[in-house]
Amino acid sequence: MADDRGYEIINPPNKLKQTVGPKVDLGSGELLARADAAMRKAAAAVDLADDADEYLARLRKALADVGARQGGDQTAAITEIYNITHDLRGQGTTFGYPLVTRVARSLNHYLENRKKLSGAEADVVKAHVDALTVVLKNRMTGDGGAVGEEIASSLESIVGL
Amino acid sequence: MIGYRLERLTVLIVDDNKNMRSLLRTVLEALGVSQIIDARDGEHAIEKLQQYNIDLAIVDWVMEPMDGIALTQWVRTNPDSPDQFLPIIMLSGHTERERVVQARDTGITEFMAKPISARSLYKRIQAVIEHPRPFVRTKDYFGPDRRRQTLPFEGADRRKNSGGDAGSLTSDQEAALKRTAAGIKSLEKTR
């Protein structure tokens, strides 16, 4: 029950600590090194480009919906683009495609809080989708070299990053 | 290195992306966690929470039909929640400060930005074990005491978007768009 201050502080028992037990000697840090190695190996086994067709098809469809609904309700289409892009953003760097994360982050930033897109603004979205397409279709892992940098930094400058 | 053995923990992973679920499972197993339960979104997670005794949840933000924020709210406030104090680590591609604050205000315990590493995940789990926060109940909020949280966020504050009312692009933006198109075209030619 909240007291006169309008708030109540509750100190629940630390069940997590009770479950794991006391700290022990875990050795010289091999646990974390092995876990990092296991993660890198698992990440390297995934090629994001293999799932690319589905992501890109959904993006293009949503972009077409945005265009078809000029002057109308574009929110569902914009939300779809945002969600797909967010998914790619979270995966890109983890699975060897930092350029995907960069372009996706740029597009997420552009779409943040937007409920509608004019024709010109939809062109900015399309430029991002085109960039994601060329990166994934060309399996441009790593930083993408000079051209990859040019594409990503141009997009970032458009959206204000 | 002195630390906690995680063998006895049951951890719930909630992420709609199968690659991420699989990766998290690999890392947690390598860190010693033996009981790992998967869920593909918030609603699926609720089913799992009611079936299993979960000690810790690692939850993605953006998921359909129920996202990590809505799941956290359910855990903290729904009468059917089996453990309103459940430690929740939100793992997200969002790094913007206002997003981190929003997640914190919903009642997550810790926030981790993607990409993760095994080390950062272990450290975060260790922090949740060693530094449990008191909970606070007000008329508007129930969750970990936000005053003690120092959540990381990357980069400086960013300008917010104008919201699209102007509708057209500046000449700088047009020029940048042309550069992007030229770059993309040059890559398409080499395919």
Side-chain angles (χ1 to χ4, degrees), chain B:
Chain B
M1 177 185 135
I2 309 292
Y4 295 102
R5 294 184 66 98
L6 305 181
E7 277 80 356
R8 292 193 216 143
L9 287 185
T10 301
V11 178
L12 175 66
I13 297 172
V14 191
D15 196 309
D16 59 354
N17 183 274
K18 65 172 171 24
N19 288 331
M20 284 307 302
R21 283 200 306 270
S22 175
L23 194 74
L24 272 172
R25 177 176 282 275
T26 298
V27 177
L28 287 169
E29 279 171 352
L31 289 174
V33 181
S34 51
Q35 300 271 26
I36 299 167
I37 315 286
D38 272 13
R40 60 182 175 267
D41 62 68
E43 285 181 356
H44 197 211
I46 287 171
E47 285 174 36
K48 301 291 181 171
L49 283 166
Q50 287 166 328
Q51 273 181 280
Y52 299 94
N53 279 328
I54 306 290
D55 298 309
L56 168 70
I58 299 175
V59 173
D60 190 24
W61 185 320
V62 176
M63 300 179 286
E64 297 277 330
M66 186 186 201
D67 70 11
I69 296 289
L71 173 61
T72 302
Q73 283 165 339
W74 187 91
V75 168
R76 297 282 179 246
T77 61
N78 193 289
D80 293 333
S81 168
D83 182 5
Q84 58 185 182
F85 303 116
L86 178 71
I88 297 174
I89 297 176
M90 177 159 278
L91 182 60
S92 178
H94 282 312
T95 55
E96 297 85 0
R97 185 175 189 223
E98 55 266 24
R99 287 288 192 169
V100 176
V101 168
Q102 181 192 355
R104 189 185 66 177
D105 285 352
T106 306
I108 60 157
T109 313
E110 290 278 349
F111 187 96
M112 274 189 74
K114 290 177 187 173
I116 58 159
S117 67
R119 281 164 209 274
S120 59
L121 185 55
Y122 182 79
K123 283 201 164 91
R124 204 60 61 134
I125 294 174
Q126 183 149 301
V128 171
I129 293 169
E130 293 211 296
H131 304 295
R133 292 187 180 78
F135 272 62
V136 168
R137 187 194 306 278
T138 69
K139 66 176 174 55
D140 301 314
Y141 172 78
F142 174 72
D145 185 350
R146 292 169 286 189
R147 293 170 303 167
R148 284 179 57 189
Q149 294 203 24
T150 49
L151 292 167
F153 63 97
E154 73 180 43
D157 282 349
R158 306 288 185 191
R159 271 194 291 134
K160 285 198 186 297
N161 288 322
S162 64
D165 291 334
S168 56
L169 305 181
T170 64
S171 54
D172 280 352
Q173 285 175 318
E174 293 276 3
L177 213 50
K178 286 197 168 91
R179 287 199 302 276
T180 307
I184 289 170
K185 213 174 170 86
S186 75
L187 285 170
E188 282 169 349
K189 279 191 183 136
T190 62
R191 284 180 57 205

